[in-house]
Amino acid sequence: MKSNFFKLLAVLVLTSLMLTACGGGAAPAEKAKVTIFVGFGTGTDPDQVAAQEALAKKFNESHTDTELEFLIVPVEESTERYLAMVAGGNAPQLVGPHGISTIAKFKDQWEDVTPYIEKEKYDMSDFYGPSTTLNKYPDLNAGLPLGLYPSFIFYNKDAFDAAGVEYPTHDYADTSWNIDAMKEMAIKMTLDANDKTPADADFDPATIKQWGYADTWTDFRGQMTMFGASTKGRPTSDDYKTAQVNSAEWLFGAQWLHDGVFKDHFIPDAAGQGAIDAASGDPFGGGHVAMWYSHTWYMSEGLNDLPFKYDIAPLFYNQNGDRISRIHADLFTMPKTAKNKDAAWEVMKWLVAPEQIIDVCKIYGCLPARQSSQEAYLKYLNERYPGIDYDVIFTAIDYL
């Protein structure tokens, strides 16, 4: 009996050793999960969803300790869903890409990444200046810069050719391209049903089929940025405690917009915008506007198989002789209450690293915030949107 017992014991020990050698030991450590909440900005279109899934796959195949996933939420549901996740103790590890408005809206919820940057002496020198300041507050650095969306004027070359009007200049140094010159050009490019312009005595503003200019895919704050004021597009004092919407520059801008709509008729009114929305939803791509002021994010949304030739030009100089071309800047933020914040920081760095930032920006339509990526991204732009003046885009960064 004793002999059989020891034989059995020996078999059990040997079996245990064999199982251990074959991987039967302790279970591997659980991966840290990083969920990126997408819905406050761009990233919800079907092609973007597929591209983000591919991006997550690329990350997961090269990292053994972290698992990345994108949570795509419709824009109209994003605020409610995000707040519900935070209230339920299940905050996402990262939120984005998003920019100034939603970062400010939830300002008190974001982790300050300054300690992370300082701890490892993370090099910020490669990022464009505006990308490092637009989402930075005295008490908060909301995240690492991802991309910039400079603004400029898209114009319909076929419409200009048909009207016999010269194209707007592409020369940033040409100070004759000012607010008065643009207004004169826009009036010439505004047509009613009988191809009359607002300069003609028999022009009918009730039948406008083409407006000369529009800047309607933004809010009032965005529209006012070009006119100046010490705070530019921010409607508050430097300490964010006092509203400042009655500056001389903003009063001028409000009157200029009013006259453009109701007196000179080169800007769509509410009825005109409603008609555009009913017809195509796209003021420029639908051929309703000859000059369209917008950002690089419009390119991926609107410059697809257009039935006319187009190009881009700088924003005009304002009433004070300044050019203030607004810029949107996106990044990924980290909620304070999120779990796995160290892993989230690693993912944030990975997304904006030189090896990834171009592919990430292709998804979202932004210019990479890294200056070292400009040449490679310019090559992509030339392939994706051939024939337009890309110097206009990159030079616009200098005019915020």
Side-chain angles (χ1 to χ4, degrees), residues 300-316:
S300 61
E301 298 180 20
L303 301 186
N304 298 306
D305 302 319
L306 294 185
F308 54 83
K309 296 177 182 178
Y310 60 88
D311 208 336
I312 55 178
L315 179 68
F316 43 87

Side-chain angles (χ1 to χ4, degrees), residues 283-361:
F284 184 72
H288 310 289
V289 173
M291 290 184 285
W292 169 243
Y293 181 41
S294 192
H295 297 257
T296 49
W297 48 255
Y298 174 75
M299 296 173 70
S300 61
E301 298 180 20
L303 301 186
N304 298 306
D305 302 319
L306 294 185
F308 54 83
K309 296 177 182 178
Y310 60 88
D311 208 336
I312 55 178
L315 179 68
F316 43 87
Y317 285 90
N318 68 16
Q319 75 283 3
N320 294 325
D322 298 321
R323 175 185 280 121
I324 302 173
S325 185
R326 65 178 183 255
I327 294 179
H328 294 168
D330 273 5
L331 44 72
F332 293 92
T333 51
M334 185 193 311
K336 288 179 181 178
T337 59
K339 301 171 184 175
N340 301 330
K341 285 192 280 192
D342 286 342
W345 167 247
E346 293 300 320
V347 172
M348 186 187 294
K349 290 192 299 179
W350 185 83
L351 290 166
V352 304
E355 297 80 10
Q356 273 77 237
I357 195 169
I358 292 177
D359 288 337
V360 176
C361 285

Side-chain angles (χ1 to χ4, degrees), residues 113-122 342 345:
V113 300
T114 303
Y116 293 88
I117 293 172
E118 292 178 348
K119 181 180 179 180
E120 60 183 76
K121 296 180 176 152
Y122 186 85
D342 286 342
W345 167 247

Side-chain angles (χ1 to χ4, degrees), residues 216-288:
T216 49
W217 281 9
T218 186
D219 54 17
F220 181 71
R221 177 187 62 81
Q223 291 176 328
M224 289 296 100
T225 301
M226 70 173 71
F227 298 103
S230 60
T231 56
K232 295 184 179 175
R234 190 183 71 240
T236 69
S237 57
D238 289 340
D239 61 5
Y240 299 92
K241 293 182 179 180
T242 305
Q244 293 182 340
V245 295
N246 60 344
S247 67
E249 293 87 355
W250 280 37
L251 290 174
F252 174 91
Q255 186 66 53
W256 186 85
L257 287 175
H258 175 276
D259 291 348
V261 172
F262 298 107
K263 179 182 176 183
D264 300 311
H265 304 294
F266 64 86
I267 299 174
D269 60 7
Q273 292 182 46
I276 291 171
D277 290 341
S280 67
D282 183 347
F284 184 72
H288 310 289

Side-chain angles (χ1 to χ4, degrees), residues 64-190:
T64 59
D65 55 352
T66 305
E67 181 181 355
L68 172 61
E69 69 171 7
F70 286 87
L71 174 62
I72 314 297
V73 179
V75 174
E76 61 273 15
E77 301 174 13
S78 59
T79 295
E80 184 178 354
R81 286 280 298 277
Y82 171 72
L83 291 176
M85 292 179 71
V86 172
N90 189 33
Q93 282 65 47
L94 293 174
V95 177
H98 63 142
I100 294 171
S101 60
T102 47
I103 290 174
K105 182 178 181 179
F106 301 109
K107 174 179 173 290
D108 293 337
Q109 298 206 15
W110 309 127
E111 184 84 5
D112 182 8
V113 300
T114 303
Y116 293 88
I117 293 172
E118 292 178 348
K119 181 180 179 180
E120 60 183 76
K121 296 180 176 152
Y122 186 85
D123 185 5
M124 301 286 290
S125 63
D126 189 31
F127 295 109
Y128 287 106
S131 70
T132 65
T133 59
L134 285 171
N135 290 302
K136 191 173 183 179
Y137 296 82
D139 59 345
L140 172 69
N141 186 353
L144 296 177
L146 168 66
L148 292 170
Y149 302 85
S151 60
F152 38 84
I153 291 177
F154 298 84
Y155 63 93
N156 184 328
K157 296 176 71 174
D158 288 358
F160 273 80
D161 291 342
V165 177
E166 288 189 13
Y167 304 147
T169 182
H170 294 195
D171 183 2
Y172 274 86
D174 185 353
T175 57
S176 69
W177 179 231
N178 57 32
I179 193 168
D180 294 327
M182 195 289 299
K183 173 183 170 181
E184 181 181 349
M185 184 180 288
I187 287 174
K188 292 178 181 178
M189 295 305 303
T190 299

